[in-house]
């Protein structure tokens, strides 16, 4: 076991906690007598298993009594398994994004080499060593996963703990009874992503955070508080439900002290209430407090309060639990649409999957925030989670930034498993002020028009209302008038062209409505002429599916014309891998986004900015570099929130256009190299300008980051734009130069991308390890140790003992001073540049090791003993031999501790990752940089490209 990956937790002071204590209803870290919430994302080991071949899955499930007896975890689930050859990873981690693209892969999932056709890539193993302090004995220790994709199995110290099929629901296990206090512990997780849960890229692995929650047996339960607010003029009533778990063996009486702290940190209300619970049970205790002159949470002023709940037993604090919340009122009205704090607010939203170029679904927390800021920058005030519960940190960011959220359940149904996932989503997220609507389903085609659909939607909404009576529910439907649409509190229309929305509103005037999806326009950023061979589509706004969806402009006008419509969510905010409409292979990502996969604005985002924001702006499209099209007419458009736009070419006016409400300006301009200028005017005064000019040849690389300082926590990120410029510093709008990247100092690159929907370049190059066990073990009792004739390359071992074969005591050979143990391995498959490493065990005193009869001296690497093998001298069949003093228990005891012999020898072939590189696409690419946790200091990102001047970008890591 690699002791460098052990987290030495110490007393429950929570020194390893990485996030603010009150973010996302997380518990406070308040000292050794109360709760600690410890992030354990760092220091995991990862390896690919196998979905169909147990031998290639490290022998998982092959041990006698596996799963029949407690504590018989096999393969990596065995606590003694040697994971030293495995790759080191920090979480969140998505192994699918590291895989190559393959024409045999599912196009909907981005054509990654994962799924039924790729069993060697579809199972991933994670292991984590923990040293648990002795003074945790008697406390409750809960291992909590925010999300694992998917079908996860968790083992602790060789004991089966549980299975979670969902890739999106958070889950937790109380592992207190399985831990070795004051000793070493091992957590093993097996994830199987063979079966897809959605029809879009979903990644694979432990792609969200993992925590240890350490509490007194008497404590606030998981997601155990529910805060509800009612505003009456200058006062807000705060109702609190607190569920207290008593995991002790005696009944307990307690006092709950509630304190509310305002946005400025000052305490604004407090109170106490008495409660009691039986042993091994829980109790929900209600309370109410008042807040005078409440600071209301809103889009423009997202004020957050904090509730601290203290569990007092005998006058002493047994637990503290912090819950952030907001004070606001939310109404979906059948005639007025959406009202926040009594004011009408048109929802200007986007639908989004959790997927970003470079990192897949394993988004660092800072990237969650960055993406929301990108959306908000063009006027987005609403975010629909499509089509599953989000990562908790996304809701934390929405709370802070002032974006309302439609929180969506994964699948319709009322079975215990599906109901349990729904309940977990609501209980986890119901304190977030950003969440304004629960969605219990999306386009469930087998149910949408049926009585069963009506019944299931009604039953699911009953579950939601029981857990949260303060919010309404919706179902996003592709057809309305029957089935689930009749049961929804708020009807969710997916695409106006697929519904008679006015007829539905006329027939069901009591039902509020929201356009949950609109647009589905397919455009490629920076492309203005369809090139279907390259899977590129013109970026001009248009109907992508005439008769089924509207253009972005048409969709917004449609919603604006109906005051009773709460708003719309555009499909989608960001491009994402998969759903490559209207293409199949070689396209690998969608083109629905207002932003590409890296977050660069497409022109439709600029249109939305013109109708969703008030600060004067104008955007001009297309670019003005069209060699070979001289004299040909170019469709030129301008988006602006001004009253009119006048267009100039090299100073000559091409006409002024009045912009109708929610519309745009348009000209047909014969192309000639030069400078286009759009001047936006209000009341005859120029309020904004935009320029598009013909650029020269690509000359240099440019790097620009959103921050210049990074926290030295191994988590903080910087988003870096990569541009190729001409000699005058203008982005070359059709350039596609390949750019290479390297770093110095305490930073690392964690992902690259460029937004090209058909690019097969690696987003995240990573080492790939293949493993081969040393097998065919034979043993021979000998009189001594050291160099012996039995270590020779050609020794016949057929008469030696099979150490895996059990022998009764009377047939055991005599115990001698020494033991020779010999196994073999075939020459592994290798390519040029691959590295071969032999991992050997420490089996006994006075040990010597031989490979093919030659004595070798292993070196120590991360606590393991390794021998670097020269591929050029490996034979087709090779031997590994140990000579050592016979250990206590002899051969049989040695094998019993060997995890089926796997501790005695493993051959690892490393296929090194390719260097970090990415081609720009139409002048743009992106690099995600992260502090690496190694320390503080100056750091540098460097970019080079053949024939171009290089660039560098510095960071202070502190």
């Amino acid at each position: 076991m690699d002791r460098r990956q052990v987290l030495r937790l110490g007393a429950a002071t929570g020194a390893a906690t990485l996030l603010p204590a009150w973010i996302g209803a997380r518990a406070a870290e308040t000292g050794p007598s109360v709760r600690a919430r410890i992030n354990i994302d760092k220091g995991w080991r990862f390896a690919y298993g196998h979905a169909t071949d147990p031998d290639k899955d490290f022998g998982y499930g092959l041990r006698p009594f596996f799963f029949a007896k407690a504590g018989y975890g096999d393969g990596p689930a065995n606590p003694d398994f040697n994971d030293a050859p495995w790759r080191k990873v920090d979480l969140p981690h998505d192994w699918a994004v590291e895989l190559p693209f393959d024409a045999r892969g599912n196009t909907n999932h981005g054509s990654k080499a994962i799924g039924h056709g790729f069993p060697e890539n579809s199972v991933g193993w994670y292991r984590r060593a923990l040293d648990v302090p002795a003074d945790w004995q008697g406390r409750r220790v809960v291992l909590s996963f925010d999300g694992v994709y998917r079908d996860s199995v968790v083992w602790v110290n060789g004991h089966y703990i549980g299975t979670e099929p969902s890739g999106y629901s958070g889950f937790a296990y109380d592992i207190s009874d399985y831990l070795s206090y004051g000793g070493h512990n091992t957590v093993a997780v097996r994830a199987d992503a063979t079966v897809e849960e959605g029809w879009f890229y979903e990644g694979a692995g432990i792609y969200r955070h993992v925590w240890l929650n350490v509490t007194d047996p008497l404590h606030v339960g998981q997601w155990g508080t529910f805060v509800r607010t009612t505003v009456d003029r200058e006062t807000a009533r705060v109702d609190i439900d607190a569920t207290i778990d008593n995991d002790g063996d005696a009944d307990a009486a307690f006092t709950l002290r509630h304190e509310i702290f305002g946005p400025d940190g000052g305490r604004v209300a407090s109170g106490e209430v008495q409660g009691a619970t039986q042993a091994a049970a829980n109790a929900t205790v209600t309370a109410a407090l008042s807040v005078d002159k409440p600071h209301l949470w809103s889009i423009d002023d997202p004020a957050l309060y904090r509730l601290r709940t203290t569990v007092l037993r005998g006058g002493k604090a047994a637990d503290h639990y912090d819950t952030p919340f907001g004070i606001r009122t939310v109404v979906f009205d059948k005639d007025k649409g959406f009202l926040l704090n009594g004011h009408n607010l048109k929802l200007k939203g986007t639908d989004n999957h959790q997927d970003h170029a470079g990192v897949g679904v394993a988004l660092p927390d800072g990237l969650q925030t960055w993406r929301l800021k990108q959306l908000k920058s063009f006027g987005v005030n609403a975010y629909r989670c499509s089509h599953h519960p989000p990562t908790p940190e996304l809701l934390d960011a929405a709370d802070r930034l002032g974006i309302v959220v439609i929180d969506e359940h994964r699948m319709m149904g009322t079975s215990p498993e599906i109901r349990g996932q729904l309940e977990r989503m609501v209980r986890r997220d119901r304190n977030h002020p950003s969440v304004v609507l629960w969605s219990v389903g999306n386009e469930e085609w087998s149910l949408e028009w049926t009585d069963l659909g009506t019944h299931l939607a009604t039953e699911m909404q009953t579950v939601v209302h029981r857990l949260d009576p303060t919010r309404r529910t919706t179902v996003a439907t592709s057809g309305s008038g029957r089935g689930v649409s009749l049961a929804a509190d708020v009807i969710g229309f997916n695409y106006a062209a697929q519904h008679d929305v006015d007829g539905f509103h006329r027939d069901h005037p009591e039902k509020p409505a929201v356009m949950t999806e609109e647009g589905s326009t397919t455009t490629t950023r920076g492309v203005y002429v369809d090139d279907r061979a390259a899977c590129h589509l013109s970026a001009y706004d248009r109907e992508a599916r005439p008769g089924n969806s509207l253009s972005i402009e048409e969709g917004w006008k449609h919603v604006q014309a109906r005051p009773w419509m709460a708003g719309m969510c555009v499909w989608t905010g960001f491009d994402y891998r998969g759903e490559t409409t209207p293409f199949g292979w070689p396209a690998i990502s969608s083109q629905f986004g207002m932003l590409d996969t890296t977050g660069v604005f497409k022109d439709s985002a600029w249109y939305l900015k013109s109708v969703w924001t008030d600060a004067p702006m104008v955007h001009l499209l297309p670019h003005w570099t069209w060699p070979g099209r001289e004299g040909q007419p170019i469709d030129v458009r301008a988006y602006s929130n001004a009253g009119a736009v006048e267009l100039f070419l090299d100073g000559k006016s091409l006409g002024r256009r009045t912009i109708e409400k929610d519309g745009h300006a348009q000209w047909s301009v014969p192309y000639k190299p030069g400078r286009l200028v759009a001047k936006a005017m209000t009341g005859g005064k120029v309020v904004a300008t935009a320029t598009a000019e013909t650029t020269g040849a690509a000359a240099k690389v440019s790097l620009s980051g959103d921050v210049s300082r990074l926290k030295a926590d191994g988590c903080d990120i910087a988003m870096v734009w990569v541009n190729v410029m001409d000699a005058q510093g203008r982005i070359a709008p059709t350039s596609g130069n390949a750019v290479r990247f390297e770093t110095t100092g305490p930073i690392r690159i964690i992902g690259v991308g460029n937004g090209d929907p058909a690019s097969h370049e690696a987003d995240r190059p990573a080492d790939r390890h293949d493993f081969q066990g040393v097998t065919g073990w034979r043993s021979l009792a000998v009189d001594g140790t050291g160099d012996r004739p039995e270590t020779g390359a050609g020794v016949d071992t057929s008469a030696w003992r099979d150490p895996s074969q059990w022998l009764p005591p009377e047939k055991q050979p005599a115990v001698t001073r020494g033991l020779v143990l010999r196994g073999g391995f075939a020459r592994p498959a290798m390519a040029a540049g691959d590295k071969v490493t032999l991992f050997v065990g420490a089996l006994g005193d006075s040990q010597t090791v031989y490979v093919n009869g030659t004595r070798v001296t292993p070196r120590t690497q991360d606590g393991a003993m390794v021998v670097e093998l020269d591929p050029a001298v490996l034979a087709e069949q090779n031997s590994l031999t140990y000579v050592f003093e016979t250990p206590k228990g002899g051969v049989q005891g040695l094998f019993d501790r060997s995890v089926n012999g796997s501790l005695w020898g493993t051959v690892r072939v490393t296929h090194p990752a390719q260097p970090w590189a990415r081609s720009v696409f139409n002048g743009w690419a992106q690099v995600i940089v992260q502090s690496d946790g190694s320390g503080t200091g100056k750091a540098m990102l460097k970019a080079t490209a053949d024939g171009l001047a290089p660039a560098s970008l510095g960071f202070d890591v502190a």
Side-chain angles (χ1 to χ4, degrees):
M1 182 177 295
D2 177 8
R3 289 298 164 209
R4 288 184 57 180
Q5 72 183 82
V6 173
L7 173 64
R8 304 196 181 279
L9 298 166
T13 58
T17 301
L18 298 181
L19 297 183
W22 69 288
I23 295 298
R26 295 194 172 85
E29 170 197 318
T30 52
S33 63
V34 290
R35 176 182 299 255
R37 181 165 172 79
I38 302 168
N39 180 281
I40 58 169
D41 285 351
K42 305 298 183 184
W44 290 77
R45 291 281 186 168
F46 168 78
Y48 290 98
H50 202 282
T52 59
D53 186 340
D55 288 328
K56 296 178 181 178
D57 200 27
F58 302 103
Y60 179 64
L62 298 181
R63 183 182 185 184
F65 299 109
F66 168 79
F67 224 72
K69 302 288 186 180
Y72 272 69
D74 198 11
N78 188 314
D80 293 326
F81 179 86
N82 181 20
D83 60 19
W86 290 13
R87 200 175 115 210
K88 297 178 182 178
V89 297
D90 292 335
L91 307 180
H93 176 241
D94 174 4
W95 85 68
V97 78
E98 300 170 354
L99 294 172
F101 299 99
D102 194 298
R104 297 176 297 139
N106 187 334
T107 305
N108 275 345
H109 282 254
S111 298
K112 283 293 186 176
I114 194 169
H116 286 290
F118 307 90
E120 71 281 6
N121 295 336
S122 298
V123 167
W125 278 98
Y126 296 84
R127 282 172 53 92
R128 180 73 158 78
L130 301 173
D131 276 358
V132 173
D135 62 3
W136 283 10
Q137 185 82 46
R139 298 171 65 76
R140 306 311 298 181
V141 182
V142 173
L143 178 63
S144 179
F145 295 85
D146 286 343
V148 180
Y149 195 87
R150 73 176 297 275
D151 216 2
S152 64
V153 185
V154 176
W155 299 79
V156 174
N157 292 338
H159 290 270
Y160 169 73
I161 303 299
T163 299
E164 173 55 53
S166 170
Y168 300 107
S169 290
F171 58 97
Y173 302 117
D174 188 325
I175 61 173
S176 309
D177 297 335
Y178 295 94
L179 294 175
S180 171
Y181 295 93
H184 301 310
N185 298 268
T186 302
V187 176
V189 181
R190 183 182 189 269
D192 188 338
T194 302
V195 176
E196 297 149 357
E197 198 163 344
W199 54 98
F200 40 85
Y201 178 83
E202 300 178 283
I206 308 179
Y207 71 103
R208 295 179 179 177
H209 295 306
V210 183
W211 307 88
L212 282 181
N213 296 314
V214 187
T215 66
D216 186 270
L218 186 69
H219 60 273
V220 177
Q222 185 187 31
W223 310 316
T225 56
F226 180 29
V227 180
R228 306 174 304 288
T229 63
T230 307
V231 180
D232 184 9
R233 299 178 183 175
E234 295 297 306
T235 302
R237 175 186 169 101
V238 181
D239 288 289
I240 305 162
D241 294 345
T243 299
I244 308 303
D245 289 351
N246 180 8
D247 292 327
D249 55 8
D251 297 350
F254 55 85
T255 300
L256 292 186
R257 178 185 297 149
H258 294 300
E259 300 169 280
I260 296 176
F261 299 88
D264 63 356
R267 190 170 69 176
V268 298
S270 64
E272 293 186 354
V273 62
Q274 304 301 312
T277 178
Q278 295 179 334
N282 61 52
T284 299
V285 181
T286 62
L289 298 174
S290 293
V291 175
D292 293 331
K293 297 182 179 179
H295 191 163
L296 300 186
W297 186 94
S298 67
I299 296 296
D300 298 320
D301 187 11
L304 290 173
Y305 286 76
R306 173 170 58 101
L307 170 70
R308 164 155 288 195
T309 301
T310 302
V311 183
L312 297 163
R313 180 180 52 200
K316 293 185 177 181
D319 192 21
H320 291 306
Y321 191 87
D322 286 352
T323 308
F325 68 98
I327 300 175
R328 86 287 187 268
T329 64
V330 167
V331 173
F332 281 87
D333 185 84
K334 61 185 177 63
D335 299 316
K336 299 178 181 179
F338 179 70
L339 293 91
L340 180 63
N341 300 326
H343 302 289
N344 189 266
L345 178 71
K346 208 73 167 180
L347 296 182
K348 305 167 182 176
T350 60
D351 304 281
N352 297 277
H353 295 309
Q354 180 173 317
D355 177 21
H356 194 89
V359 294
V361 297
L363 272 63
D365 296 347
L367 184 50
Q368 303 278 6
T369 300
W370 185 88
R371 282 164 59 92
L372 288 182
K373 287 181 177 179
Q374 285 294 99
L375 295 174
K376 193 162 185 175
S377 70
F378 65 90
V380 170
N381 62 22
Y383 184 106
R384 176 169 169 246
C385 304
S386 307
H387 302 286
H388 55 77
T391 293
E393 288 70 30
L394 181 135
L395 296 182
D396 296 341
D399 290 345
R400 297 191 303 269
L401 295 174
I403 296 177
V404 301
V405 174
I406 301 175
D407 206 345
E408 190 156 276
H409 180 58
R410 178 64 202 90
M411 179 184 291
M412 291 190 70
T414 57
S415 70
E417 181 179 303
I418 297 175
R419 181 191 294 261
Q421 293 169 7
L422 175 64
E423 291 176 344
R424 273 181 274 167
M425 178 187 78
V426 175
R427 292 183 65 240
R428 187 195 72 173
D429 297 345
R430 61 187 176 179
N431 291 313
H432 287 279
S434 58
V435 175
V436 298
L437 190 64
W438 302 110
S439 175
V440 300
N442 172 76
E443 293 186 356
E444 293 282 1
W445 297 316
S446 70
L447 298 173
E448 280 201 338
W449 301 278
T450 68
D451 291 340
L452 177 59
T454 307
H455 174 72
L456 290 178
T458 300
E459 291 297 306
M460 294 180 75
Q461 291 179 139
T462 299
V463 172
V464 173
H465 292 155
R466 172 173 53 80
L467 295 171
D468 178 14
T470 71
R471 296 176 178 89
R472 306 188 81 168
T473 63
T474 188
V475 183
T477 65
S478 51
S480 57
R482 294 184 293 138
V484 298
S485 66
L486 302 181
D489 286 347
V490 178
I491 174 65
F493 295 113
N494 280 6
Y495 308 104
Q498 296 179 182
H499 302 261
D500 180 1
V501 297
D502 295 320
F504 186 92
H505 181 62
R506 181 182 61 250
D507 295 340
H508 305 279
E510 78 291 350
K511 196 174 288 294
V514 61
M515 195 66 67
T516 39
E517 291 180 22
E518 188 54 272
S520 276
T521 55
T522 48
T523 62
T524 308
R525 188 254 308 153
V527 171
Y528 299 95
V529 178
D530 286 356
D531 183 354
R532 290 182 172 265
C535 303
H536 294 164
L537 296 169
S538 168
Y540 293 110
D541 184 29
R542 62 189 186 281
E543 293 180 5
R545 302 178 301 155
N548 288 288
S549 66
L550 304 176
S551 70
I552 303 301
E553 184 174 320
E554 290 170 341
W556 180 241
K557 288 179 177 178
H558 185 276
V559 169
Q560 279 284 73
R562 291 160 175 80
W564 50 269
M565 187 79 75
M568 82 173 189
C569 291
V570 176
W571 190 266
T572 54
F574 290 80
D575 283 346
Y576 53 92
R577 296 170 185 80
E579 282 202 286
T580 57
T581 306
F583 305 108
W585 179 264
I588 50 85
S589 76
S590 78
Q591 303 194 49
F592 301 120
M594 302 299 95
L595 313 175
D596 70 14
T597 56
T598 70
V600 179
F601 278 32
K602 298 185 190 178
D603 295 293
S604 291
W606 289 105
Y607 164 74
L608 290 174
K609 186 177 180 71
S610 75
V611 297
W612 284 359
T613 67
D614 297 324
M617 57 80 60
V618 61
H619 171 71
L620 185 62
L621 68 147
H623 61 76
W624 203 240
T625 303
W626 297 99
R629 293 192 60 181
E630 287 76 7
Q632 298 180 23
I634 303 292
D635 182 357
V636 176
R637 302 183 188 184
Y639 296 132
S640 178
N641 49 18
V645 176
E646 187 169 2
L647 184 68
F648 297 84
L649 177 58
D650 292 337
K652 179 181 178 181
S653 176
L654 302 180
R656 181 181 299 184
R657 303 285 189 268
T658 299
I659 298 181
E660 65 177 43
K661 179 175 172 53
D662 300 323
H664 67 277
Q666 192 166 354
W667 299 261
S668 179
V669 181
Y671 175 68
K672 71 170 184 176
R675 188 168 187 261
L676 278 178
V677 177
K679 297 183 178 181
M681 291 170 282
T682 297
K685 181 181 178 182
V686 176
V687 294
T689 62
T691 301
E693 56 187 325
T694 307
T695 61
K700 59 185 177 180
V701 181
S702 171
L703 298 176
S704 56
D706 65 326
V707 296
S708 59
R709 295 181 62 87
L710 292 172
K711 298 176 184 177
D713 57 4
C715 300
D716 203 13
I717 64 164
M719 305 297 290
V720 179
W721 294 125
V722 183
N723 296 115
V724 167
M725 308 283 203
D726 70 2
Q728 297 183 47
R730 302 169 298 190
I731 296 175
T734 61
S735 57
N737 305 71
V739 184
R740 299 174 295 277
F741 307 101
E742 60 181 25
T743 62
T744 58
I747 60 173
R748 59 189 171 189
I749 299 171
I750 62 171
V752 294
N754 65 9
D756 182 353
S759 173
H760 295 174
E761 294 176 278
D763 275 5
R764 186 180 167 92
D767 290 350
R768 175 72 184 242
H769 297 321
D770 292 334
F771 302 98
Q772 181 176 317
V774 180
T775 60
W777 290 103
R778 310 292 286 183
S779 66
L780 181 68
V782 295
D783 290 334
T785 59
D787 292 328
R788 298 186 56 85
E790 295 87 358
T791 63
V795 172
D796 181 6
T797 63
S798 59
W800 294 17
R801 177 181 174 180
D802 177 356
S804 67
Q805 182 180 6
W806 180 83
L807 295 176
E810 65 274 12
K811 293 189 176 182
Q812 291 283 349
V815 176
T816 60
R817 179 186 166 197
L819 195 65
V820 180
L821 187 67
R822 187 184 183 102
F825 60 95
R827 177 185 171 86
M830 293 171 286
D834 287 350
K835 299 178 181 179
V836 186
T837 307
L838 175 64
F839 287 76
V840 300
L843 307 186
D845 294 335
S846 303
Q847 175 176 295
T848 50
V849 182
Y850 307 80
V851 175
N852 290 338
T854 300
R855 185 169 177 171
V856 296
T857 301
R859 65 178 178 86
T860 300
Q861 174 182 298
D862 294 338
M865 293 195 303
V866 302
V867 178
E868 303 296 342
L869 299 179
D870 183 353
V873 300
L874 287 178
E876 289 302 313
Q877 294 295 324
N878 304 273
S879 64
L880 168 63
T881 307
Y882 298 90
V883 182
F884 51 94
E885 292 182 7
T886 303
K888 185 178 180 179
V891 175
Q892 190 64 58
L894 188 69
F895 182 78
D896 289 344
R897 297 186 297 271
S898 72
V899 191
N900 229 15
S902 63
L903 300 185
W904 295 348
T906 299
V907 177
R908 184 184 76 185
V909 178
T910 301
H911 312 289
Q914 294 298 310
W916 286 100
R918 192 71 174 195
S919 299
V920 297
F921 177 58
N922 292 331
W924 289 80
Q926 185 179 72
V927 177
I928 306 174
V929 172
Q930 187 175 57
S931 63
D932 65 10
S934 65
T936 62
K938 299 290 185 180
M940 188 76 69
L941 172 67
K942 300 178 181 178
T944 58
D946 293 342
L948 304 182
S952 61
L953 185 64
F955 299 92
D956 290 320
V957 182

